[in-house]
Amino acid sequence: MNALTKYRHVFLVGLQSNLVYRWNFLIRGFFSLARLAVVFILWGAAYAGLTQIGGYSIGQTFTYFTALIALQFMVGAFNEDYQIGEEIRNGLINQFLLKPINYYLYRFTVFLSARAVSGVLVFVPLLVIYPLIRHQLAFPGDAWRLLLGAPALVLAALLQFTLAFCFGLLAFWFLEIQGFVILSYAAETLLSGQIFPLDLLPPALFKAAQFLPFYYMMYFPAALVTGRINDPVAAVQGLAVQVVWVGLFLLIARFIWLTGLRKHTAVGG
Amino acid sequence: MSLRQYLRIWLACVRYSLVRTMMFRFDFFLWSAVELAWMSVNVLLVEVIYRHTDNVAGWSKYEMMLLVGTSMLIQRLLMGFFWSNLFEMGRNVRTGYFDFYLAQPGNPLFMVSTRKLDPDGLANTFVAAGVVYYSAHRLGLHPGVTGVLLYLALVACGLVIHYSLFLLTTSTTFWIIKTEGIEGSYFTVVDFSRLPREAFRGFASVFLVYLLPAVVVSNVPAHALIHGFQPAYALWLFGVSLAWFALAVFVFHLGLKRYASASS
């Protein structure tokens, strides 16, 4: 069986098992609408009497936050770290160590199938409220944004997943990893621009944020498709930095994996 | 059982929780850091918004900070005293372990709600109180002892509201067994409590300010500290907390009647 067929099957099985959770994803999507309401109310009040905040209109800011919701369901890591940690803890991982399958690629394929399901389902709640927020949104129509946005999304997904993978592997050393996961999630949420668009930070801090990987996990693709990054050259540079971060993350993941395996005692199974 | 006996049970639970925390010190620091990180995120959001504007819905930066601090204070109190108890109630109803609480000679709701204390949540109430104190200081407020006591009484009403909302959420487990993730609905409501009441318009105002207690819970105490105590507002909050508590207790007991234990 060649490698592609192998992972295609993993993807198809993953698709089926994630379709079981369709209601879960849908409910989560509708909860996200409440968060969007918080954003609209807060920023709507902040914009009162102002035409621009940080150089962007209210429409552009609403568009940014709406796009974030779609992107979270398309490329975000949900509980992959927890799942991986559980597989290590209860010994389910042992079966993969004995088979000719790469655990990272296996988990990444499952992640892709999960995001395929949630990435499509998120459009249900978004379409439901679309008539209400249609006039508030201002999507730029440039073709180059989509052209560069697509690889930026794939790279963001790789970054998000690989970070989650690394955190999951901490289960080789710690019995309980939820604390680490939620702590890193707080940092990631803030530094990837999910609380506020990063360009509203003081310039020095904004610059500093660009040196961190979190910037490329969500803010960069979101800013690209919603018109907060307007220079195609800067966008291509951003893509290049994303590639470097992905490479670095993969190396780190490989290192943690190999070190962790040596600690692994293969309980249960 | 008399009030004295309940107090003794509660104190025993407190002692047990503290001993447990001292056994898992690393966990205590880690989870305190987690909560601190999320609180910092909320404070930063205020900081960033007010870099670009002077007022949001008529609230200045430190007034807003005081509101956010108040909202965090109420939430930390819930986390410290009741969160894991009610959270585990959902799980226990599913597994049938809930029988254990019914077999105890006290009021089931009391037994369920007070079994554990989370010192990490309580440690962060000091941070939240610090945010409130700092904001009040920057606003030049001098509420005096009465002012502070009234503020604390209103915060207590807020705690009752949050407790009731979360109890209502977890009580759904009596009807719908599979409720993992249902606590998300509580957090959704809490998100609105960090916003000033004046920012809500039209339907959002009717629904979130008047129907659901999402907004009054933090706005009334913060307003009292900033603009002075207004009996009408305080009565409003008191009435709302009483009504939601009554509803939550009623639903809990309704659920209790349905409970038929689980597993073998």
Side-chain angles (χ1 to χ4, degrees):
Chain A
M1 192 154 58
N2 70 38
L4 210 62
T5 330
K6 196 159 59 184
Y7 293 108
R8 203 187 69 215
H9 279 291
V10 172
F11 182 80
L12 291 176
V13 172
L15 215 53
Q16 286 174 22
S17 61
N18 274 293
L19 277 172
V20 173
Y21 292 104
R22 56 189 180 273
W23 285 107
N24 230 317
F25 286 131
L26 264 180
I27 291 168
R28 240 180 131 133
F30 277 100
F31 275 141
S32 298
L33 291 188
R35 279 215 319 272
L36 198 61
V38 172
V39 164
F40 274 38
I41 292 167
L42 176 64
W43 289 91
Y47 265 100
L50 300 172
T51 49
Q52 287 195 332
I53 283 184
Y56 300 98
S57 69
I58 188 169
Q60 283 174 306
T61 299
F62 282 173
T63 309
Y64 173 82
F65 281 111
T66 310
L68 270 191
I69 299 223
L71 294 190
Q72 277 160 357
F73 281 77
M74 288 163 83
V75 302
F78 280 28
N79 60 347
E80 277 69 17
D81 29 32
Y82 175 74
Q83 289 173 5
I84 293 165
E86 278 298 287
E87 283 195 347
I88 294 173
R89 235 159 54 122
N90 58 29
L92 269 177
I93 199 172
N94 302 340
Q95 55 172 322
F96 297 104
L97 302 176
L98 301 172
K99 285 177 189 156
I101 196 163
N102 178 307
Y103 187 64
Y104 176 87
L105 280 178
Y106 163 75
R107 290 290 347 177
F108 184 62
T109 315
V110 174
F111 166 73
L112 283 183
S113 60
R115 285 304 78 85
V117 174
S118 62
V120 170
L121 285 178
V122 70
F123 284 95
V124 176
L126 286 179
L127 282 175
V128 168
I129 55 148
Y130 182 69
L132 290 173
I133 61 170
R134 189 159 53 102
H135 300 294
Q136 316 265 23
L137 302 181
F139 271 104
D142 320 309
W144 66 268
R145 287 185 194 281
L146 294 180
L147 218 63
L148 297 178
L153 278 184
V154 175
L155 291 166
L158 264 166
L159 278 176
Q160 292 231 15
F161 171 75
T162 313
L163 183 70
F165 185 77
C166 291
F167 270 100
L169 293 188
L170 286 182
F172 279 130
W173 290 272
F174 299 94
L175 213 56
E176 179 54 56
I177 57 162
Q178 265 324 72
F180 295 106
V181 168
I182 300 180
L183 192 59
S184 92
Y185 181 60
E188 189 191 318
T189 309
L190 178 71
L191 294 166
S192 66
Q194 297 182 55
I195 303 292
F196 47 79
L198 292 176
D199 46 37
L200 297 185
L201 280 169
L205 284 179
F206 180 46
K207 193 89 202 143
Q210 294 178 35
F211 284 100
L212 297 172
F214 307 110
Y215 176 94
Y216 299 93
M217 289 178 167
M218 192 56 88
Y219 175 78
F220 175 66
L224 193 60
V225 293
T226 60
R228 293 180 99 93
I229 291 175
N230 292 311
D231 176 13
V233 179
V236 173
Q237 277 171 353
L239 275 179
V241 180
Q242 255 188 323
V243 172
V244 173
W245 274 117
V246 168
L248 208 64
F249 269 40
L250 286 175
L251 278 178
I252 295 170
R254 179 93 193 134
F255 175 74
I256 299 181
W257 171 251
L258 291 176
T259 329
L261 272 189
R262 263 184 243 140
K263 285 265 316 176
H264 188 48
T265 46
V267 287
Chain B
M1 274 207 306
S2 71
L3 212 58
R4 224 180 109 98
Q5 281 166 313
Y6 277 116
L7 186 69
R8 280 184 57 200
I9 293 176
W10 186 71
L11 285 175
C13 292
V14 171
R15 199 167 49 234
Y16 155 77
S17 304
L18 290 179
V19 169
R20 210 184 125 80
T21 306
M22 282 191 258
M23 275 165 67
F24 301 102
R25 286 181 293 271
F26 179 72
D27 259 32
F28 168 75
F29 288 115
L30 187 64
W31 283 103
S32 302
V34 167
E35 292 197 11
L36 190 62
W38 280 109
M39 284 161 63
S40 316
V41 165
N42 290 316
V43 172
L44 262 169
L45 174 63
V46 175
E47 202 57 61
V48 165
I49 290 182
Y50 282 89
R51 273 194 77 237
H52 301 274
T53 178
D54 303 330
N55 96 75
V56 174
W59 291 59
S60 71
K61 178 176 165 184
Y62 287 104
E63 287 173 346
M64 186 73 156
M65 203 80 103
L66 199 146
L67 175 68
V68 171
T70 303
S71 160
M72 295 193 306
L73 182 62
I74 298 169
Q75 202 189 348
R76 287 315 117 189
L77 286 170
L78 181 83
M79 292 280 169
F81 286 112
F82 304 114
W83 176 270
S84 39
N85 296 309
L86 293 184
F87 182 77
E88 278 168 23
M89 182 188 103
R91 208 168 50 196
N92 291 338
V93 168
R94 260 194 301 280
T95 56
Y97 191 64
F98 189 67
D99 296 359
F100 173 72
Y101 293 92
L102 296 179
Q104 291 172 346
N107 176 306
L109 186 56
F110 178 86
M111 291 305 187
V112 163
S113 309
T114 56
R115 188 167 161 74
K116 253 200 256 177
L117 216 69
D118 275 330
D120 41 338
L122 291 177
N124 276 307
T125 53
F126 292 104
V127 179
V131 173
V132 173
Y133 177 80
Y134 176 72
S135 313
H137 174 71
R138 291 300 297 252
L139 289 167
L141 300 175
H142 302 286
V145 179
T146 332
V148 172
L149 287 178
L150 284 171
Y151 171 77
L152 290 178
L154 294 174
V155 165
C157 285
L159 178 62
V160 171
I161 292 179
H162 273 216
Y163 171 85
S164 310
L165 285 180
F166 193 46
L167 178 62
L168 277 170
T169 315
T170 47
S171 290
T172 50
T173 320
F174 287 117
W175 287 270
I176 321 161
I177 291 299
K178 209 174 151 14
T179 51
E180 282 111 333
I182 193 101
E183 67 280 0
S185 55
Y186 163 78
F187 281 116
T188 309
V189 174
V190 170
D191 272 349
F192 289 101
S193 76
R194 288 190 286 267
L195 301 179
R197 187 185 137 202
E198 293 78 2
F200 292 82
R201 301 246 174 278
F203 172 73
S205 169
V206 175
F207 186 64
L208 292 158
V209 178
Y210 296 102
L211 276 178
L212 273 182
V215 181
V216 284
V217 73
S218 54
N219 271 254
V220 171
H223 192 273
L225 205 55
I226 298 168
H227 302 287
F229 182 74
Q230 279 164 320
Y233 279 163
L235 272 177
W236 179 17
L237 186 66
F238 184 68
V240 167
S241 58
L242 217 59
W244 281 89
F245 184 66
L247 179 70
V249 171
F250 175 70
V251 170
F252 174 79
H253 281 104
L254 220 58
L256 216 52
K257 277 192 200 143
R258 265 191 66 97
Y259 178 68
S261 191
S263 80
S264 53

mmCIF file of all heavy atoms in Angstrom, chain B residues 86 131 149 250 256:
data_model
loop_
_atom_site.group_PDB
_atom_site.id
_atom_site.type_symbol
_atom_site.label_atom_id
_atom_site.label_comp_id
_atom_site.label_asym_id
_atom_site.label_seq_id
_atom_site.Cartn_x
_atom_site.Cartn_y
_atom_site.Cartn_z
ATOM 1 N N LEU B 86 -20.187 22.279 40.828
ATOM 2 C CA LEU B 86 -21.325 22.187 39.918
ATOM 3 C C LEU B 86 -20.926 21.487 38.625
ATOM 4 O O LEU B 86 -21.705 20.745 38.033
ATOM 5 C CB LEU B 86 -21.878 23.584 39.609
ATOM 6 C CG LEU B 86 -22.513 24.299 40.791
ATOM 7 C CD1 LEU B 86 -23.116 25.621 40.358
ATOM 8 C CD2 LEU B 86 -23.587 23.441 41.435
ATOM 9 N N VAL B 131 -7.463 45.085 40.537
ATOM 10 C CA VAL B 131 -7.830 45.857 39.342
ATOM 11 C C VAL B 131 -8.907 46.881 39.701
ATOM 12 O O VAL B 131 -8.836 48.052 39.305
ATOM 13 C CB VAL B 131 -8.326 44.911 38.210
ATOM 14 C CG1 VAL B 131 -8.883 45.700 37.031
ATOM 15 C CG2 VAL B 131 -7.200 43.989 37.748
ATOM 16 N N LEU B 149 -18.861 48.458 51.533
ATOM 17 C CA LEU B 149 -19.742 47.377 51.976
ATOM 18 C C LEU B 149 -20.925 47.198 51.025
ATOM 19 O O LEU B 149 -21.304 46.068 50.694
ATOM 20 C CB LEU B 149 -20.237 47.644 53.400
ATOM 21 C CG LEU B 149 -19.180 47.437 54.496
ATOM 22 C CD1 LEU B 149 -19.759 47.771 55.869
ATOM 23 C CD2 LEU B 149 -18.653 45.999 54.486
ATOM 24 N N PHE B 250 -35.536 25.697 41.830
ATOM 25 C CA PHE B 250 -36.732 25.004 41.364
ATOM 26 C C PHE B 250 -36.369 23.970 40.286
ATOM 27 O O PHE B 250 -36.762 22.807 40.362
ATOM 28 C CB PHE B 250 -37.725 26.029 40.808
ATOM 29 C CG PHE B 250 -38.944 25.421 40.189
ATOM 30 C CD1 PHE B 250 -39.905 24.790 40.977
ATOM 31 C CD2 PHE B 250 -39.140 25.461 38.814
ATOM 32 C CE1 PHE B 250 -41.024 24.222 40.396
ATOM 33 C CE2 PHE B 250 -40.262 24.891 38.230
ATOM 34 C CZ PHE B 250 -41.204 24.269 39.020
ATOM 35 N N LEU B 256 -33.980 16.689 40.154
ATOM 36 C CA LEU B 256 -33.738 15.688 41.193
ATOM 37 C C LEU B 256 -34.830 14.617 41.171
ATOM 38 O O LEU B 256 -34.552 13.432 41.350
ATOM 39 C CB LEU B 256 -33.744 16.414 42.546
ATOM 40 C CG LEU B 256 -32.772 15.932 43.602
ATOM 41 C CD1 LEU B 256 -31.364 15.868 43.052
ATOM 42 C CD2 LEU B 256 -32.822 16.865 44.804
#
